[in-house]
Amino acid sequence: MCILTYLKMMNLFFTKNTLELDTYLATKKCVIIADARTNGFCVPVAKKILPALQQAQLIVIPAGEENKNLDTVHFIWEQLCLLQIKKNSLIINIGGGCLSDIASFAASTYKRGLEFINIPTTLLSMVDASIGGKNGINFNGIKNCIGLIIPAKKVYINPIFINSLPEREIKSGIVEMVKHSLLSSQSDWQKALHNNHIQQWCNMDNITIASQFKNSIVLQDELDEGIRQSLNLGHSIGHAIESYSHESKNVLLHGEAIYYGIWIELLLSRIIYNLDTTIINQFKHLGEEVLGYRKIAIELKNLLPYLLADKKNSDTINMSLIAAPGQLKIKTTVSVEQVQIALEEYGNN
Ligand SMILES: NC(=O)c1ccc[n+]([C@@H]2O[C@H](COP(=O)([O-])OP(=O)(O)OC[C@H]3O[C@@H](n4cnc5c(N)ncnc54)[C@H](O)[C@@H]3O)[C@@H](O)[C@H]2O)c1
């Protein structure tokens, strides 16, 4: 590993680095941004384990994907102005992926960019959203339509925050860990299949492996021009499912939508790259038996407007698929007919 990569890896702080982080925070003028739920559940815990945060100022935004929009960013900018926050302040994002996506976007654009630290409080954010610097908001009905890639100064991962996280949110995070195992290697995929209980996925070792995996991919391709796109496995279809679910009564969490997205993209991986059917069956088994997910109806006509508008695509649908666990196939052009065939197979399975 080269020295630059090593130093960047050091930006991930874990429970064992708590004192080191607190010492660093004590030298800064900190502003916490939390959402209404994490302000109640997580900010008091963060202040207890990182006493340097006790003096921090606080901005609270509404929770939830429906608030991942320009109004919330506008509110944060207003609060930063009201608090007279200067360029040398440090923003501390305490929350899940939604909070860090919005708050890092607001921080990165205020006064041409404030430094920020992510303290992820959902499993999904610990292993994925808080790492890699992608931020932004939904706009014009399109997920993550507006945003930047600006890495956090540091990311502090401490599973203590999961204690107050609802089980549905924990499962949503596990889906991204499952995706990491599929992308990593055949042996990591086989190891993942041994995690038969939700609690096994949430242990410090598994969270560390998954967050370091994400970090290692990001460090090879920070600007998302090559290998980083492999992390989009399940996300082309998954984002369309998630966006459509927000139009219907049955709103899905991010990880839930990505679960169905991965399933359908694994079917496309079989159609295009001959992915072994065993892998698809193992994935389904994990979803059904460990996460308790059940099949939902998915229709092409509902996905198509989102698939064709997705920022990752031009006039064709570009996807990141796999030929086998660890064999990544980014920038695959997929036809609408192939999506239709995969959806039929999904329906019949
Ligand atoms: N930037 C990236 O690279 C990236 C990657 C993956 C996902 N994302 C984004 O992340 C978002 C999903 O993030 P998420 O799943 O973390 O959801 P979230 O941030 O919406 O949090 C889910 C809910 O849990 C609450 N919550 C958070 N931590 C809690 C805790 N410890 N105890 C109790 N309640 C808690 C939140 O207030 C919220 O109501 C999506 O918008 C997705 O697009 C971004």
Side-chain angles (χ1 to χ4, degrees):
M1 190 187 296
C2 80
I3 185 72
L4 188 63
T5 306
Y6 177 72
L7 285 173
K8 286 183 171 177
M9 292 288 268
M10 297 300 284
N11 283 343
L12 281 194
F13 279 58
F14 294 95
T15 313
K16 62 178 191 255
N17 310 111
T18 305
L19 186 57
E20 192 187 340
L21 179 64
D22 194 51
T23 308
Y24 170 78
L25 294 176
T27 66
K28 299 283 178 183
K29 184 173 173 2
C30 298
V31 182
I32 294 172
I33 305 185
D35 70 34
R37 282 179 63 82
T38 60
N39 185 38
F41 286 111
C42 307
V43 172
V45 178
K47 285 185 172 174
K48 203 166 176 184
I49 54 184
L50 297 164
L53 291 180
Q54 277 164 13
Q55 307 309 320
Q57 286 171 295
L58 175 68
I59 297 174
V60 181
I61 63 172
E65 186 73 27
E66 65 280 17
N67 296 302
K68 191 172 160 181
N69 57 34
L70 204 50
D71 290 344
T72 309
V73 173
H74 186 274
F75 173 78
I76 297 174
W77 285 333
E78 258 177 3
Q79 295 299 306
L80 291 171
C81 288
L82 274 172
L83 296 170
Q84 300 183 337
I85 298 307
K86 303 274 177 335
K87 180 88 181 138
N88 60 355
S89 296
L90 181 67
I91 302 294
I92 315 290
N93 297 325
I94 302 183
C98 230
L99 182 281
S100 58
D101 274 12
I102 305 167
S104 354
F105 179 68
S108 302
T109 43
Y110 178 81
K111 290 192 188 288
R112 299 202 176 90
L114 301 180
E115 287 190 334
F116 61 92
I117 285 184
N118 286 336
I119 302 188
T121 60
T122 62
L123 181 61
L124 185 141
S125 186
M126 289 177 195
V127 298
D128 193 353
S130 67
I131 302 162
K134 281 192 185 177
N135 65 44
I137 51 167
N138 305 330
F139 186 73
N140 224 10
I142 302 169
K143 246 192 94 69
N144 304 330
C145 181
I146 309 288
L148 302 165
I149 302 182
I150 308 275
K153 181 89 181 152
K154 298 180 193 302
V155 178
Y156 172 66
I157 296 170
N158 187 330
I160 194 172
F161 295 106
I162 297 175
N163 292 344
S164 56
L165 194 63
E167 188 172 281
R168 189 174 169 196
E169 297 285 351
I170 295 177
K171 290 177 179 175
S172 171
I174 293 173
V175 174
E176 297 283 9
M177 299 173 85
V178 170
K179 181 197 74 181
H180 289 354
S181 319
L182 279 167
L183 296 178
S184 176
S185 63
Q186 183 67 257
S187 68
D188 282 348
W189 173 242
Q190 293 308 321
K191 271 187 223 151
L193 294 173
H194 290 298
N195 293 334
N196 290 319
H197 300 286
I198 290 171
Q199 285 319 316
Q200 281 174 284
W201 286 93
C202 299
N203 70 34
M204 190 70 218
D205 285 350
N206 281 327
I207 292 175
T208 304
I209 290 167
S211 58
Q212 286 180 335
F213 175 78
K214 163 98 192 238
N215 205 29
S216 70
I217 298 276
V218 167
L219 292 177
Q220 293 171 60
D221 174 25
E222 283 178 272
L223 296 181
D224 201 17
E225 292 163 338
I227 189 170
R228 184 169 180 178
Q229 292 175 15
S230 64
L231 296 167
N232 291 335
L233 175 68
H235 283 61
S236 296
I237 300 281
H239 276 170
I241 294 172
E242 184 179 7
S243 298
Y244 179 69
S245 87
H246 280 267
E247 278 181 26
S248 68
K249 284 199 187 105
N250 185 19
V251 174
L252 296 175
L253 298 182
H254 179 74
E256 292 169 345
I258 297 306
Y259 167 72
Y260 298 106
I262 296 175
W263 184 345
I264 291 158
E265 293 189 21
L266 289 182
L267 290 168
L268 283 163
S269 297
R270 192 195 55 70
I271 293 166
I272 298 170
Y273 294 116
N274 219 12
L275 173 71
D276 190 338
T277 308
T278 313
I279 306 295
I280 305 173
N281 290 336
Q282 287 170 331
F283 174 80
K284 266 174 53 187
H285 182 266
L286 203 157
E288 284 165 3
E289 300 304 318
V290 181
L291 304 179
Y293 288 163
R294 296 288 166 260
K295 202 194 281 187
I296 57 166
I298 302 173
E299 289 186 72
L300 182 68
K301 69 172 168 37
N302 298 331
L303 304 189
L304 223 43
Y306 298 104
L307 281 177
L308 298 176
D310 191 301
K311 69 183 186 316
K312 288 190 282 293
N313 308 314
S314 51
D315 51 345
T316 52
I317 305 169
N318 287 323
M319 291 189 194
S320 301
L321 304 177
I322 55 169
Q327 283 185 36
L328 314 177
K329 297 286 181 185
I330 60 168
K331 301 184 203 287
T332 299
T333 303
V334 178
S335 68
V336 171
E337 288 73 24
Q338 286 170 320
V339 176
Q340 176 64 47
I341 293 169
L343 285 175
E344 279 164 19
E345 284 190 19
Y346 163 84
N348 297 333
N349 242 275

Short mmCIF file of all heavy atoms in Angstrom, two decimals, residues 114-153:
data_model
loop_
_atom_site.label_atom_id
_atom_site.label_comp_id
_atom_site.label_asym_id
_atom_site.label_seq_id
_atom_site.Cartn_x
_atom_site.Cartn_y
_atom_site.Cartn_z
N LEU A 114 -16.90 24.34 3.91
CA LEU A 114 -16.42 24.13 5.28
C LEU A 114 -15.97 22.67 5.39
O LEU A 114 -16.52 21.80 4.73
CB LEU A 114 -17.54 24.35 6.29
CG LEU A 114 -18.23 25.72 6.32
CD1 LEU A 114 -19.31 25.72 7.39
CD2 LEU A 114 -17.21 26.82 6.57
N GLU A 115 -14.99 22.41 6.23
CA GLU A 115 -14.61 21.02 6.49
C GLU A 115 -15.69 20.34 7.32
O GLU A 115 -16.36 21.01 8.14
CB GLU A 115 -13.28 20.97 7.24
CG GLU A 115 -12.11 21.32 6.33
CD GLU A 115 -10.77 21.05 6.97
OE1 GLU A 115 -10.67 21.06 8.21
OE2 GLU A 115 -9.81 20.83 6.20
N PHE A 116 -15.86 19.06 7.12
CA PHE A 116 -16.88 18.34 7.90
C PHE A 116 -16.40 16.94 8.26
O PHE A 116 -15.55 16.36 7.58
CB PHE A 116 -18.21 18.28 7.15
CG PHE A 116 -18.14 17.56 5.84
CD1 PHE A 116 -18.41 16.21 5.75
CD2 PHE A 116 -17.80 18.23 4.67
CE1 PHE A 116 -18.33 15.53 4.54
CE2 PHE A 116 -17.72 17.57 3.45
CZ PHE A 116 -17.99 16.22 3.39
N ILE A 117 -16.98 16.45 9.36
CA ILE A 117 -16.70 15.08 9.83
C ILE A 117 -18.03 14.34 9.85
O ILE A 117 -19.05 14.91 10.23
CB ILE A 117 -16.11 15.13 11.26
CG1 ILE A 117 -14.65 15.58 11.18
CG2 ILE A 117 -16.21 13.79 11.96
CD1 ILE A 117 -13.93 15.57 12.50
N ASN A 118 -18.02 13.10 9.41
CA ASN A 118 -19.24 12.29 9.49
C ASN A 118 -19.18 11.36 10.70
O ASN A 118 -18.20 10.62 10.87
CB ASN A 118 -19.42 11.44 8.23
CG ASN A 118 -19.85 12.27 7.03
OD1 ASN A 118 -20.45 13.34 7.20
ND2 ASN A 118 -19.57 11.79 5.83
N ILE A 119 -20.24 11.41 11.50
CA ILE A 119 -20.40 10.41 12.57
C ILE A 119 -21.67 9.63 12.21
O ILE A 119 -22.78 10.03 12.54
CB ILE A 119 -20.51 11.07 13.96
CG1 ILE A 119 -19.26 11.93 14.23
CG2 ILE A 119 -20.70 10.01 15.04
CD1 ILE A 119 -19.14 12.49 15.64
N PRO A 120 -21.49 8.53 11.44
CA PRO A 120 -22.67 7.78 10.98
C PRO A 120 -23.38 7.08 12.13
O PRO A 120 -22.72 6.48 12.99
CB PRO A 120 -22.08 6.78 9.98
CG PRO A 120 -20.64 6.64 10.35
CD PRO A 120 -20.23 7.95 10.95
N THR A 121 -24.71 7.13 12.11
CA THR A 121 -25.47 6.52 13.20
C THR A 121 -26.37 5.39 12.72
O THR A 121 -27.06 4.76 13.52
CB THR A 121 -26.34 7.58 13.91
OG1 THR A 121 -27.24 8.13 12.93
CG2 THR A 121 -25.49 8.69 14.50
N THR A 122 -26.42 5.15 11.40
CA THR A 122 -27.11 3.96 10.88
C THR A 122 -26.05 2.99 10.38
O THR A 122 -24.95 3.41 10.00
CB THR A 122 -28.05 4.30 9.70
OG1 THR A 122 -27.27 4.81 8.62
CG2 THR A 122 -29.12 5.30 10.08
N LEU A 123 -26.43 1.71 10.33
CA LEU A 123 -25.49 0.71 9.80
C LEU A 123 -25.16 1.04 8.35
O LEU A 123 -24.00 0.96 7.92
CB LEU A 123 -26.14 -0.68 9.92
CG LEU A 123 -25.29 -1.85 9.45
CD1 LEU A 123 -24.00 -1.97 10.25
CD2 LEU A 123 -26.08 -3.15 9.54
N LEU A 124 -26.18 1.43 7.60
CA LEU A 124 -25.97 1.72 6.17
C LEU A 124 -24.95 2.83 5.98
O LEU A 124 -24.08 2.78 5.11
CB LEU A 124 -27.31 2.11 5.52
CG LEU A 124 -27.27 2.33 4.00
CD1 LEU A 124 -28.53 1.77 3.35
CD2 LEU A 124 -27.10 3.79 3.64
N SER A 125 -25.03 3.80 6.84
CA SER A 125 -24.10 4.92 6.71
C SER A 125 -22.70 4.54 7.18
O SER A 125 -21.70 4.99 6.61
CB SER A 125 -24.67 6.10 7.51
OG SER A 125 -23.88 7.22 7.29
N MET A 126 -22.61 3.69 8.20
CA MET A 126 -21.29 3.26 8.69
C MET A 126 -20.51 2.51 7.61
O MET A 126 -19.30 2.67 7.49
CB MET A 126 -21.44 2.34 9.92
CG MET A 126 -21.91 3.08 11.14
SD MET A 126 -22.18 1.98 12.55
CE MET A 126 -23.13 3.07 13.60
N VAL A 127 -21.21 1.68 6.84
CA VAL A 127 -20.49 0.83 5.88
C VAL A 127 -20.50 1.42 4.47
O VAL A 127 -19.87 0.87 3.58
CB VAL A 127 -21.09 -0.61 5.83
CG1 VAL A 127 -20.95 -1.27 7.19
CG2 VAL A 127 -22.54 -0.59 5.36
N ASP A 128 -21.25 2.53 4.29
CA ASP A 128 -21.38 3.00 2.91
C ASP A 128 -21.48 4.53 2.81
O ASP A 128 -20.53 5.21 2.44
CB ASP A 128 -22.62 2.33 2.28
CG ASP A 128 -22.67 2.51 0.77
OD1 ASP A 128 -21.84 3.26 0.24
OD2 ASP A 128 -23.54 1.91 0.11
N ALA A 129 -22.64 5.08 3.19
CA ALA A 129 -22.94 6.48 2.82
C ALA A 129 -21.97 7.52 3.38
O ALA A 129 -21.72 8.54 2.74
CB ALA A 129 -24.37 6.82 3.25
N SER A 130 -21.41 7.25 4.58
CA SER A 130 -20.55 8.28 5.20
C SER A 130 -19.17 8.32 4.57
O SER A 130 -18.40 9.25 4.79
CB SER A 130 -20.41 8.00 6.70
OG SER A 130 -19.69 6.80 6.89
N ILE A 131 -18.85 7.30 3.76
CA ILE A 131 -17.49 7.14 3.22
C ILE A 131 -17.49 7.47 1.72
O ILE A 131 -18.34 6.99 0.97
CB ILE A 131 -17.01 5.68 3.40
CG1 ILE A 131 -17.04 5.31 4.88
CG2 ILE A 131 -15.63 5.47 2.81
CD1 ILE A 131 -17.02 3.82 5.14
N GLY A 132 -16.54 8.29 1.30
CA GLY A 132 -16.37 8.47 -0.15
C GLY A 132 -16.76 9.83 -0.68
O GLY A 132 -16.53 10.13 -1.84
N GLY A 133 -17.38 10.65 0.17
CA GLY A 133 -17.57 12.05 -0.19
C GLY A 133 -18.72 12.38 -1.12
O GLY A 133 -18.92 13.54 -1.46
N LYS A 134 -19.49 11.37 -1.56
CA LYS A 134 -20.63 11.73 -2.42
C LYS A 134 -21.69 12.37 -1.54
O LYS A 134 -22.05 11.83 -0.49
CB LYS A 134 -21.22 10.48 -3.09
CG LYS A 134 -20.43 10.01 -4.27
CD LYS A 134 -21.24 8.97 -5.05
CE LYS A 134 -20.42 8.38 -6.17
NZ LYS A 134 -21.13 7.33 -6.90
N ASN A 135 -22.19 13.52 -1.97
CA ASN A 135 -23.24 14.17 -1.19
C ASN A 135 -24.30 14.71 -2.13
O ASN A 135 -24.15 14.62 -3.35
CB ASN A 135 -22.65 15.27 -0.31
CG ASN A 135 -22.06 16.40 -1.12
OD1 ASN A 135 -22.66 16.85 -2.10
ND2 ASN A 135 -20.88 16.87 -0.74
N GLY A 136 -25.37 15.24 -1.58
CA GLY A 136 -26.36 15.85 -2.46
C GLY A 136 -27.80 15.64 -2.03
O GLY A 136 -28.08 15.13 -0.94
N ILE A 137 -28.66 16.04 -2.95
CA ILE A 137 -30.11 16.03 -2.66
C ILE A 137 -30.87 15.46 -3.86
O ILE A 137 -30.34 15.40 -4.97
CB ILE A 137 -30.62 17.47 -2.38
CG1 ILE A 137 -30.19 18.43 -3.50
CG2 ILE A 137 -30.16 17.96 -1.02
CD1 ILE A 137 -30.88 19.76 -3.48
N ASN A 138 -32.11 15.09 -3.61
CA ASN A 138 -33.00 14.67 -4.69
C ASN A 138 -33.60 15.94 -5.32
O ASN A 138 -33.84 16.93 -4.62
CB ASN A 138 -34.13 13.79 -4.15
CG ASN A 138 -33.57 12.59 -3.36
OD1 ASN A 138 -32.49 12.11 -3.67
ND2 ASN A 138 -34.30 12.15 -2.35
N PHE A 139 -33.82 15.90 -6.61
CA PHE A 139 -34.33 17.09 -7.29
C PHE A 139 -35.13 16.66 -8.50
O PHE A 139 -34.72 15.75 -9.22
CB PHE A 139 -33.14 17.97 -7.71
CG PHE A 139 -33.53 19.29 -8.31
CD1 PHE A 139 -34.04 20.31 -7.51
CD2 PHE A 139 -33.39 19.52 -9.68
CE1 PHE A 139 -34.41 21.53 -8.07
CE2 PHE A 139 -33.76 20.73 -10.23
CZ PHE A 139 -34.26 21.74 -9.43
N ASN A 140 -36.28 17.32 -8.71
CA ASN A 140 -37.09 17.05 -9.89
C ASN A 140 -37.49 15.57 -9.95
O ASN A 140 -37.56 14.99 -11.04
CB ASN A 140 -36.26 17.40 -11.14
CG ASN A 140 -37.09 18.16 -12.15
OD1 ASN A 140 -38.20 18.58 -11.84
ND2 ASN A 140 -36.56 18.32 -13.34
N GLY A 141 -37.69 14.95 -8.80
CA GLY A 141 -38.10 13.54 -8.75
C GLY A 141 -36.96 12.57 -8.97
O GLY A 141 -37.16 11.36 -9.01
N ILE A 142 -35.73 13.08 -9.15
CA ILE A 142 -34.60 12.18 -9.43
C ILE A 142 -33.69 12.12 -8.21
O ILE A 142 -33.25 13.15 -7.68
CB ILE A 142 -33.79 12.67 -10.65
CG1 ILE A 142 -34.71 12.75 -11.87
CG2 ILE A 142 -32.61 11.74 -10.93
CD1 ILE A 142 -34.10 13.46 -13.05
N LYS A 143 -33.41 10.89 -7.78
CA LYS A 143 -32.58 10.70 -6.59
C LYS A 143 -31.16 11.21 -6.81
O LYS A 143 -30.56 10.97 -7.85
CB LYS A 143 -32.52 9.20 -6.26
CG LYS A 143 -33.20 8.89 -4.95
CD LYS A 143 -32.91 7.50 -4.46
CE LYS A 143 -31.75 7.47 -3.52
NZ LYS A 143 -31.95 8.09 -2.22
N ASN A 144 -30.65 11.91 -5.83
CA ASN A 144 -29.26 12.40 -5.84
C ASN A 144 -28.93 13.17 -7.12
O ASN A 144 -27.82 13.09 -7.64
CB ASN A 144 -28.27 11.23 -5.70
CG ASN A 144 -28.53 10.41 -4.45
OD1 ASN A 144 -29.02 10.94 -3.45
ND2 ASN A 144 -28.25 9.13 -4.50
N CYS A 145 -29.92 13.90 -7.62
CA CYS A 145 -29.75 14.59 -8.90
C CYS A 145 -28.71 15.71 -8.80
O CYS A 145 -27.95 15.96 -9.73
CB CYS A 145 -31.10 15.14 -9.33
SG CYS A 145 -31.11 16.00 -10.88
N ILE A 146 -28.69 16.41 -7.66
CA ILE A 146 -27.76 17.53 -7.47
C ILE A 146 -26.76 17.15 -6.37
O ILE A 146 -27.18 16.71 -5.29
CB ILE A 146 -28.52 18.80 -7.00
CG1 ILE A 146 -29.72 19.10 -7.90
CG2 ILE A 146 -27.58 19.99 -6.86
CD1 ILE A 146 -29.40 19.63 -9.26
N GLY A 147 -25.49 17.32 -6.62
CA GLY A 147 -24.53 17.00 -5.55
C GLY A 147 -23.09 17.11 -5.99
O GLY A 147 -22.79 17.46 -7.14
N LEU A 148 -22.21 16.82 -5.05
CA LEU A 148 -20.77 16.98 -5.25
C LEU A 148 -20.05 15.73 -4.73
O LEU A 148 -20.66 14.91 -4.03
CB LEU A 148 -20.27 18.16 -4.41
CG LEU A 148 -20.89 19.53 -4.64
CD1 LEU A 148 -20.52 20.45 -3.48
CD2 LEU A 148 -20.40 20.12 -5.94
N ILE A 149 -18.76 15.62 -5.05
CA ILE A 149 -17.93 14.62 -4.38
C ILE A 149 -16.85 15.37 -3.59
O ILE A 149 -15.90 15.89 -4.17
CB ILE A 149 -17.27 13.64 -5.38
CG1 ILE A 149 -18.34 12.92 -6.21
CG2 ILE A 149 -16.40 12.62 -4.64
CD1 ILE A 149 -17.79 11.88 -7.21
N ILE A 150 -17.07 15.49 -2.29
CA ILE A 150 -16.11 16.17 -1.41
C ILE A 150 -15.94 15.27 -0.17
O ILE A 150 -16.88 15.11 0.60
CB ILE A 150 -16.64 17.55 -0.93
CG1 ILE A 150 -17.12 18.42 -2.10
CG2 ILE A 150 -15.60 18.25 -0.04
CD1 ILE A 150 -16.04 19.22 -2.78
N PRO A 151 -14.78 14.66 0.02
CA PRO A 151 -14.64 13.72 1.14
C PRO A 151 -14.70 14.39 2.51
O PRO A 151 -14.28 15.55 2.66
CB PRO A 151 -13.27 13.08 0.92
CG PRO A 151 -12.59 13.88 -0.11
CD PRO A 151 -13.57 14.78 -0.79
N ALA A 152 -15.23 13.65 3.47
CA ALA A 152 -15.22 14.12 4.86
C ALA A 152 -13.78 14.18 5.35
O ALA A 152 -12.94 13.36 4.94
CB ALA A 152 -16.01 13.16 5.73
N LYS A 153 -13.49 15.13 6.22
CA LYS A 153 -12.15 15.23 6.82
C LYS A 153 -11.85 13.94 7.60
O LYS A 153 -10.76 13.40 7.52
CB LYS A 153 -12.16 16.44 7.76
CG LYS A 153 -10.88 16.72 8.46
CD LYS A 153 -10.00 17.63 7.62
CE LYS A 153 -8.69 17.90 8.33
NZ LYS A 153 -7.61 18.18 7.40
#
